[in-house]
Amino acid sequence: MENSVLPDSFKQARESKGIGKVEDQNDPVTMVLGLKDVRKCAHNWKTFQSGAKPGRIVIPSEVNIRETRQIPFEVDPPAHKGFRDLIDPWFKRPLESDYQAQLKSIIDDIIDHSLQQDSVEVVGEFALKLQSRALTVLLNIPYEESELWIGWGKHVFRSEDTDLDGDKAAILYDYIDAQIDKTAANLDQSLYALLLNSEVNGKKLSKEEIKGVMILTFAGGRDTIINAVTNSIAYFSEHPESLTQLAENPDMSSIAVEELIRYFSPLTHMGRVATEDTQVCEHAVKADTRISLCWASANRDERVFENPNEVVLDRKVNPHVGFGFGTHNCLGATHARQLLNILITSLAEKVSTMEIQSQQDNVEDWGEFQRKVGYDSLNVKFTARKY
Amino acid sequence: MAKITFIDSNKIEITVEADSGSVMELAVQNGISGIDGDCGGVCSCATCHVHVAAEDMDKVGAANEIEQDMLELDDNVNEFSRLCCQIQISEQLDGVTLTVAAE
């Protein structure tokens, strides 16, 4: 019962210092580890800004592979609000029943297909396909487009041998440029068209701004959803009793999703740049240096969560930061929540057992911390529930 | 059965009834503008912030520490603030008025 465990790599540093340090391309990062500190820093966008040089708040830094500012992610208030107000209603569409029906159809197809195989490599054959197909619903574009994205592989920016692959990133950026031009010539009902038709803060969005929103939408929801889906399959493989619990209590699926997000923390951390000399946990942070808000550590803070290293699917009070916190909380959270909710509900309905046959863990290297965030590969045998 | 009055984000007064569940769930079921309840009621998202009418504070009660920690970082917090996912509906709440806090 060890294969699906995601250990808390930060416990000792969180308890003793409250911070950690990681080197990144000569731009070191002070990682903030405790839940309250993470929330305070996330809230304080004036001192810990997102609107730094594009790519710098991402860790590892993308300043060498990206010039386009991701929007609204890398814009601070007050300009942030206009962008966020424009696109928030679009990103709340997952609350509509038609949208949920489309997601359910995509998810049921993948589960039904998996039940017919002797073995499924979950990262590439299940999670990547699910993420890509679901993204067509979020963008409101034809389903077939997902085939191209699936062909790009598991990571938008990463190749086998490097964490940051400029050539691979260029594929995405060039693709988005072409899609914006194509939509401008023939307006449809997609997110591209919404952005092309809109004004923010009194003026039409530039192509660069539209590109910034689209890069965020593609990149922010790729590894994260793949990690969340793959970890969910691994967890339920080793906890069939939890699947039964969900099948018997379908009403608990939404709080179960929150607990899975807390435990998995699909995005380990996100950076900010200090705008002034300040301090975090009594450690000096100099102006123009980076901190990171370590969601993964905060979500295991024993001062807030009872039994933080256990998945308690019906955890009632769960103030996790798996979708971030404050001004820049996750734009795609509504989509991700619905996707995971439908996924675990359908798994509970259709699947009796999942058996892990082999796995290769994806362990991130953050200086003094090595954190398992998911899997490079996970081979699973799915068996149908018999009624 | 408890009658609960919401004053939504458009300043419109709406009174609804329930006998169980959380106040956030009641608000979402009745489409109260300004109450989103994104996290489903686990005190993670702070999208169900209300101000309790001063005279109703005794009936509703104060926030616990975890809820207070969330509220503390909300720009519109005051002494009457609650996250209504953490308020359970009972007879005791009959007649209370909750004003949706501004974003």
Side-chain angles (χ1 to χ4, degrees):
Chain A
M1 300 286 276
E2 294 287 315
N3 297 324
S4 68
V5 169
L6 301 186
D8 172 15
S9 319
F10 307 101
K11 181 180 170 69
Q12 194 192 359
R14 184 176 60 240
E15 288 178 354
S16 61
K17 302 177 288 184
I19 60 153
K21 298 271 189 186
V22 58
E23 265 302 327
D24 173 29
Q25 302 165 66
N26 299 317
D27 191 5
V29 180
T30 299
M31 298 171 75
V32 183
L33 301 176
L35 180 70
K36 285 190 188 184
D37 293 318
V38 164
R39 279 207 297 235
K40 275 185 189 154
C41 294
H43 179 69
N44 187 359
W45 53 266
K46 286 182 180 161
T47 301
F48 300 110
Q49 68 166 178
S50 295
K53 186 175 182 184
R56 194 173 173 207
I57 63 167
V58 182
I59 305 164
S61 170
E62 294 173 4
V63 291
N64 294 318
I65 62 163
R66 169 159 68 85
E67 290 173 0
T68 302
R69 181 173 298 284
Q70 289 188 12
I71 296 175
F73 169 64
E74 291 174 319
V75 179
D76 284 307
H80 173 270
K81 185 175 179 346
F83 290 110
R84 189 78 193 226
D85 286 352
L86 167 68
I87 56 179
D88 260 343
W90 183 276
F91 282 85
K92 293 277 185 190
R93 287 163 52 250
L95 297 175
E96 296 167 8
S97 56
D98 281 1
Y99 191 108
Q100 291 167 13
Q102 289 183 67
L103 283 186
K104 180 161 169 41
S105 165
I106 287 167
I107 288 168
D108 283 350
D109 273 357
I110 293 177
I111 295 175
D112 290 344
H113 179 78
S114 299
L115 285 166
Q116 291 163 11
Q117 313 300 312
D118 291 333
S119 179
V120 177
E121 198 291 287
V122 172
V123 181
E125 293 298 313
F126 193 112
L128 172 63
K129 289 183 177 177
L130 170 48
Q131 183 274 333
S132 297
R133 291 170 186 171
L135 184 59
T136 65
V137 185
L138 183 59
L139 303 191
N140 201 28
I141 62 172
Y143 175 89
E144 294 69 33
E145 196 70 11
S146 60
E147 291 305 318
L148 174 68
W149 309 335
I150 292 166
W152 288 344
K154 285 175 277 190
H155 302 291
V156 181
F157 300 122
R158 285 169 216 162
S159 50
E160 293 282 309
D161 49 358
T162 174
D163 260 1
L164 288 171
D165 185 332
D167 291 342
K168 210 163 177 191
I171 295 174
L172 173 67
Y173 303 156
D174 293 347
Y175 168 80
I176 289 173
D177 272 333
Q179 295 305 304
I180 295 169
D181 291 343
K182 195 176 111 187
T183 311
N186 188 7
L187 284 177
D188 53 19
Q189 299 295 311
S190 67
L191 176 58
Y192 297 104
L194 172 86
L195 298 170
L196 282 159
N197 272 331
S198 297
E199 286 189 358
V200 165
N201 303 330
K203 48 177 205 227
K204 275 188 88 85
L205 272 77
S206 67
K207 185 177 173 189
E208 182 72 2
E209 287 171 333
I210 294 171
K211 190 175 171 184
V213 174
M214 297 310 302
I215 294 175
L216 171 65
T217 307
F218 272 89
R222 195 153 170 106
D223 290 4
T224 46
I225 287 193
I226 291 171
N227 284 337
V229 168
T230 312
N231 279 318
S232 296
I233 302 285
Y235 170 75
F236 287 115
S237 296
E238 293 194 325
H239 297 273
E241 75 286 357
S242 296
L243 216 47
T244 305
Q245 189 186 2
L246 273 174
E248 290 169 354
N249 305 284
D251 287 350
M252 69 180 274
S253 62
S254 63
I255 66 168
V257 165
E258 300 302 316
E259 175 65 350
L260 294 173
I261 290 292
R262 179 192 72 84
Y263 184 80
F264 301 151
S265 297
L267 178 67
T268 300
H269 59 162
M270 183 51 67
R272 296 287 189 269
V273 175
T275 56
E276 57 186 334
D277 288 350
T278 182
Q279 55 177 18
V280 172
C281 299
E282 298 172 352
H283 294 267
V285 173
K286 289 239 175 259
D288 198 37
T289 65
R290 299 195 294 170
I291 66 163
S292 81
L293 312 168
C294 188
W295 320 117
S297 168
N299 281 340
R300 300 293 180 93
D301 192 328
E302 48 288 288
R303 292 165 293 189
V304 179
F305 300 102
E306 267 181 51
N307 302 319
N309 297 314
E310 283 176 33
V311 176
V312 181
L313 277 189
D314 58 355
R315 197 183 283 274
K316 304 267 184 316
V317 179
N318 194 348
H320 71 84
V321 287
F323 289 115
F325 183 80
T327 311
H328 291 286
N329 65 2
C330 177
L331 184 62
T334 312
H335 175 77
R337 283 179 162 122
Q338 288 300 332
L339 185 155
L340 289 171
N341 196 324
I342 295 167
L343 172 67
I344 65 174
T345 303
S346 277
L347 284 172
E349 276 169 21
K350 291 172 176 283
V351 176
S352 71
T353 59
M354 295 177 282
E355 184 192 340
I356 298 177
Q357 297 169 319
S358 62
Q359 69 190 82
Q360 186 73 48
D361 290 347
N362 175 7
V363 179
E364 297 173 333
D365 184 5
W366 303 114
E368 61 187 291
F369 310 111
Q370 275 68 48
R371 176 185 186 234
K372 177 179 169 184
V373 67
Y375 301 85
D376 288 329
S377 68
L378 179 73
N379 288 289
V380 172
K381 163 75 179 149
F382 288 71
T383 303
R385 189 177 286 277
K386 292 190 176 63
Y387 287 97
Chain B
M1 197 62 97
K3 272 190 185 171
I4 294 173
T5 299
F6 292 96
I7 299 171
D8 75 8
S9 55
N10 303 312
K11 313 283 180 224
I12 295 168
E13 195 171 307
I14 302 153
T15 300
V16 290
E17 288 185 330
D19 51 21
S20 64
S22 78
V23 172
M24 181 279 288
E25 288 164 341
L26 178 69
V28 170
Q29 282 158 14
N30 287 280
I32 303 296
S33 174
I35 298 292
D36 295 338
D38 288 346
C39 74
V42 296
C43 202
S44 162
C45 69
T47 61
C48 64
H49 181 186
V50 294
H51 294 142
V52 180
E55 62 274 20
D56 294 329
M57 272 311 277
D58 284 349
K59 286 187 187 174
V60 177
N64 68 17
E65 188 186 343
I66 283 177
E67 186 185 333
Q68 272 177 10
D69 285 344
M70 290 291 290
L71 285 166
E72 176 185 296
L73 296 176
D74 193 302
D75 293 336
N76 295 299
V77 69
N78 68 21
E79 63 198 291
F80 307 116
S81 284
R82 289 293 311 266
L83 295 176
C84 65
C85 71
Q86 300 301 303
I87 307 173
Q88 289 302 309
I89 294 171
S90 71
E91 291 279 340
Q92 192 184 325
L93 289 192
D94 190 40
V96 304
T97 298
L98 307 171
T99 303
V100 174
E103 269 184 49

